[in-house]
Amino acid sequence: MYVWIAAGVMLSLAALATMLRMLLGPTTLDRLVALDTLVAVSMCAIGTWAAFSLDTTVTYSLTALALITFVGSVSVARFRVPDVPDTADRTAEQ
């Protein structure tokens, strides 16, 4: 029982730290990595729940999350606009 409690606490702390990084990230790539990490933590939580409850029906959602996250990350990385901190840098580039 202590193992499940420890796993839940660690996953909750990881999700909290990741959400903090997502809110405070200065660039869109920081936020993208934080979102990928949050989905990975969620997938770990689903896997932990499947092991705890001995119910494998929730594992189908792991495959769906993995595929959707991969496609989303590749799309954002491909089509994102570079971050420019302020207007002074924009005028220097032109």
Side-chain angles (χ1 to χ4, degrees):
M1 186 65 175
Y2 294 115
V3 173
W4 302 117
I5 293 171
V9 168
M10 286 188 286
L11 286 169
S12 298
L13 289 174
L16 183 67
T18 303
M19 284 188 275
L20 210 71
R21 180 77 261 170
M22 198 180 324
L23 291 172
L24 300 176
T27 65
T28 56
L29 286 181
D30 287 336
R31 290 184 171 96
L32 177 65
V33 169
L35 181 65
D36 286 342
T37 305
L38 188 62
V39 172
V41 169
S42 300
M43 290 172 62
C44 290
I46 291 170
T48 303
W49 174 254
F52 174 72
S53 66
L54 300 176
D55 182 21
T56 59
T57 57
V58 296
T59 56
Y60 297 115
S61 62
L62 294 175
T63 305
L65 274 173
L67 291 173
I68 290 170
T69 304
F70 173 74
V71 170
S73 297
V74 168
S75 299
V76 170
R78 172 71 175 95
F79 296 113
R80 87 170 184 91
V81 176
D83 294 328
V84 179
D86 61 331
T87 57
D89 290 340
R90 275 191 220 147
T91 56
E93 290 177 359
Q94 294 176 355

